[in-house]
Amino acid sequence: MCGIAGVVSWDRPIAEPARVARVLADALAHRGPDGRATWIPPSEDVLLVHRRLAIIDPGPDGAQPMATPDGRHRIVFNGEVYNYRELRRDLEAGGERFSTASDTEVLLRLIVRGGPAALARVRGMFAFAWWDAEDRTLLVARDRFGIKPLYVAPAPHQIAFASELGALRASGIVAGEPSPAGVLGFLTWGSVIPPLTWQRGAETLPPGAWWRWRGGAGDRGVFADARDAYRSGPGPAQSDRDYRAAARHAVRESVRAHLVADVPVGVFLSGGIDSGAIVSAAASAGASNLQTFTVGFDDVTSEVERARSVATEFGTRHHELRLDASHVAADLPKILTRLDQPTIDAVNSYYVAQAVAAAGIKAVLSGAGGDELFGGYPSFVRLPRAMAAKRALGPLWPLVSPLTGALMPARLQARWRHFAMTNGSLVESYRVQRGFLLPEELDGLAGPALRDSAVWRQAHSEVAAAERTLLAASGAETPQASVARLESRLYLESQLLRDLDVMSMAHGLEVRVPFVDHELLGAVWPELGRHPSLLRHKRLLFDTLERRLAVCALDGRRAGANRARRSAPAG
């Protein structure tokens, strides 16, 4: 886990490359307190910056930017490749020889041999930039769920990238002017959806995508599309017994993979089933001496008590941090500084990460993604039921919907009206459930800077294009699979994971998310849509555990299922 940045200029040296590199490295210092390094060739038309948080091969051999022995290829990489040992064995069988024990070198050799298509073999979270000095080619890519961030700033004569927008601003690569589309996207969803950013002149590399430039000409592609896992396939449903067994194995193996490290790994632990399941699966996978961390706000809460019970049951070394409103008020300026882009979430993640980092832990597992994977949100019930009722009423709907809307609280009437006009669109129904402000609310809120007709029209066009790419299905789906895809693509990937990354890295902490794993996703969906009883209160997740959680954790399942998650650290 690290911070990366760089600039490539196509037809001239970079202006003051040493200064730019220094500013980029300083702006990303919190992401990598264990080391900093920069590579600039004599031509001064390329610079690569790396801030290191040493997790795998933490000695000097794992330092970056890392080069092949001939110096032709170089990489800066943020993240972890959990299956790097298996990939390394395959590469060695093909003739590759390695000089380090790091996953970085494995990733570098994999790309040199197979190009961006080879990234489909990687199990992990990553954002990287690879430079080929002979072909003068730059390739950047991001993992299939967008767990690790990467921002790109294209310009006529150069391309720049960084792990955080703040680094691009601090270096002067992009100005401080906000993007109208980014502002509109935030007001629409409560976060800035990819590829939009809050910053004019910069964009987010979408999950599962790569972008390559050769001599200044760019081309793009997708090496893996996580949406494909939700598509309905032919054939009969698996038996409950076989399906549960497959899911049990997949959960345990994902947690086992995410424990790979050369430093101790902790667990964010709340009172919910997600983080409790992580602890249980880690114990089943053979983890020992686990440390668990919980944050309680103000007084003692039931979640803190449930977390303590789980920690006791599994014999973890448990840490509790208690906060009151005065902590939040005092720390708010620092939190806002680290947000990088606007969001309506993230505060809890900041404090949990702070507590874990203070204990000397560099890497921690989180239950983020459990609700999206196992059906923990109310939307899994509400959206299919509401759309089915609307279809059943047919021609009576225009008569019934105004009467129903009149009985609703005033705060929900605008949302009901929008749902009534959705014409059967799942995306528009989902907007009612998860959106921040609806179109009619935006019209009344936007000020003159946005309401300028040309600006407003262009911003709407960009947001609509981003929504189409982000929220469209890649094939036929069950209603439940569609909800899982939407919650994962928008709420999880575009908000929770981004907030979790930026808040944890504010303290130099690596957060790993075993429930956001493509092999586990493929074991759970789309089959889960054929077993509706296993969607209730995340029954499938609970049934995957070889060591069951205590009754107090079970008591929290219904409460956890009935609230939308306000933060993602522990599940």
Side-chain angles (χ1 to χ4, degrees):
M1 183 71 67
C2 308
I4 64 172
V7 182
V8 173
S9 179
W10 303 114
D11 56 4
R12 66 195 70 178
I14 299 166
E16 300 181 279
R19 180 196 66 80
V20 173
R22 183 176 62 254
V23 173
L24 288 170
D26 289 346
L28 297 172
H30 52 283
R31 298 186 70 93
D34 295 336
R36 71 184 275 170
T38 298
W39 177 75
I40 303 173
S43 57
E44 296 190 333
D45 55 355
V46 180
L47 67 86
L48 300 176
V49 172
H50 187 258
R51 293 298 309 229
R52 188 181 187 199
L53 181 65
I55 305 292
I56 292 177
D57 194 10
D61 285 350
Q64 302 179 42
M66 184 177 286
T68 52
D70 60 4
R72 173 178 173 176
H73 305 281
R74 278 181 167 80
I75 192 171
V76 283
F77 158 51
N78 170 28
E80 304 290 355
V81 177
Y82 302 124
N83 63 335
Y84 76 98
R85 293 189 179 102
E86 296 92 323
L87 293 173
R88 176 176 174 140
R89 286 193 292 268
D90 290 347
L91 289 166
E92 286 175 331
E96 291 288 340
R97 295 295 177 262
F98 292 84
S99 58
T100 77
S102 72
D103 58 338
T104 304
E105 187 179 13
V106 172
L107 182 61
L108 175 57
R109 300 297 183 92
L110 183 72
I111 300 163
V112 170
R113 271 189 170 252
L119 295 173
R121 300 179 60 197
V122 175
R123 185 178 199 174
M125 54 182 183
F126 59 84
F128 71 82
W130 166 62
W131 173 247
D132 181 339
E134 184 173 308
D135 286 349
R136 290 194 54 79
T137 298
L138 177 71
L139 173 74
V140 297
R142 192 175 177 214
D143 67 74
R144 69 189 76 208
F145 299 104
I147 303 170
K148 304 317 302 169
L150 192 63
Y151 300 99
V152 181
H157 301 286
Q158 72 173 32
I159 188 76
F161 61 89
S163 296
E164 295 183 6
L165 277 175
L168 296 175
R169 285 194 299 267
S171 65
I173 291 171
V174 296
E177 186 179 357
S179 160
V183 173
L184 183 60
F186 165 70
L187 294 175
T188 301
W189 292 108
S191 62
V192 185
I193 61 176
L196 306 176
T197 72
W198 189 258
Q199 180 70 64
R200 189 188 291 271
E203 62 181 90
T204 302
L205 188 67
W210 54 266
W211 197 349
R212 178 173 52 198
W213 295 266
R214 182 179 287 112
D219 64 316
R220 303 191 191 213
V222 174
F223 65 85
D225 191 338
R227 298 177 303 168
D228 294 345
Y230 301 99
R231 293 190 301 192
S232 298
Q238 289 180 271
S239 70
D240 265 17
R241 180 178 178 179
D242 290 346
Y243 179 49
R244 292 179 203 222
R248 179 182 303 114
H249 176 77
V251 167
R252 185 179 63 250
E253 290 308 303
S254 181
V255 171
R256 189 197 305 276
H258 285 73
L259 287 168
V260 170
D262 294 324
V263 299
V265 178
V267 180
F268 284 152
L269 181 59
S270 75
I273 186 176
D274 297 341
S275 57
I278 296 286
V279 173
S280 175
S284 296
S288 59
N289 301 318
L290 272 182
Q291 295 192 56
T292 51
F293 300 84
T294 300
V295 169
F297 287 87
D298 295 321
D299 55 0
V300 176
T301 66
S302 60
E303 287 209 349
V304 171
E305 294 171 353
R306 287 195 295 269
R308 188 183 303 141
S309 175
V310 172
T312 300
E313 180 183 1
F314 288 92
T316 71
R317 184 176 160 196
H318 192 53
H319 307 259
E320 292 180 5
L321 173 67
R322 301 205 178 279
L323 299 171
D324 57 34
S326 64
H327 286 92
V328 179
D331 292 338
L332 192 57
K334 290 186 292 186
I335 295 171
L336 293 175
T337 297
R338 290 299 177 209
L339 277 180
D340 205 36
Q341 293 202 85
T343 180
I344 57 175
D345 209 334
V347 172
N348 192 29
S349 301
Y350 180 91
Y351 286 110
V352 181
Q354 184 181 62
V356 177
I361 296 291
K362 289 184 177 182
V364 66
L365 305 188
S366 165
D371 283 326
E372 291 81 3
L373 184 65
F374 293 102
Y377 290 131
S379 55
F380 280 87
V381 174
R382 290 176 182 169
L383 287 179
R385 183 182 294 166
M387 295 189 68
K390 189 174 181 181
R391 286 193 301 270
L393 285 169
L396 296 177
W397 178 254
L399 301 174
V400 174
S401 61
L403 299 176
T404 305
L407 299 175
M408 289 193 164
R411 62 185 177 84
L412 296 178
Q413 288 182 0
R415 292 185 177 268
W416 177 259
R417 285 195 300 271
H418 190 86
F419 172 71
M421 298 183 297
T422 56
N423 249 348
S425 166
L426 178 64
V427 170
E428 291 307 310
S429 299
Y430 180 72
R431 190 190 305 277
V432 172
Q433 172 79 18
R434 187 61 81 182
F436 186 32
L437 295 175
L438 297 176
E440 52 266 42
E441 295 170 322
L442 284 169
D443 289 342
L445 179 68
L450 272 179
R451 291 303 300 272
D452 173 89
S453 59
V455 173
W456 189 248
R457 189 164 49 250
Q458 179 63 27
H460 268 286
S461 176
E462 291 181 38
V463 171
E467 288 180 354
R468 283 193 298 272
T469 301
L470 187 67
L471 302 179
S474 67
E477 300 170 336
T478 65
Q480 293 81 7
S482 294
V483 175
R485 173 181 52 79
L486 290 171
E487 292 284 25
S488 296
R489 295 278 285 179
L490 196 139
Y491 189 46
L492 176 65
E493 295 179 11
S494 301
Q495 182 170 327
L496 297 183
L497 292 179
R498 193 196 71 83
D499 292 348
L500 188 56
D501 171 84
V502 74
M503 291 292 94
S504 62
M505 292 309 295
H507 305 288
L509 177 71
E510 172 177 294
V511 177
R512 300 175 171 192
V513 281
F515 293 141
V516 188
D517 174 84
H518 72 276
E519 294 191 18
L520 176 56
L521 175 63
V524 172
W525 289 99
E527 188 68 19
L528 184 53
R530 298 175 169 183
H531 300 264
S533 65
L534 297 179
L535 274 165
R536 296 193 196 101
H537 313 310
K538 292 188 280 193
R539 184 78 226 178
L540 176 62
L541 175 58
F542 180 74
D543 286 351
T544 66
L545 305 180
E546 294 176 355
R547 291 184 58 182
R548 297 299 178 92
L549 298 177
V551 173
C552 63
L554 279 177
D555 290 342
R557 282 190 298 139
R558 185 178 299 274
N562 288 335
R563 71 175 184 273
R565 184 181 307 206
R566 294 185 298 273
S567 188

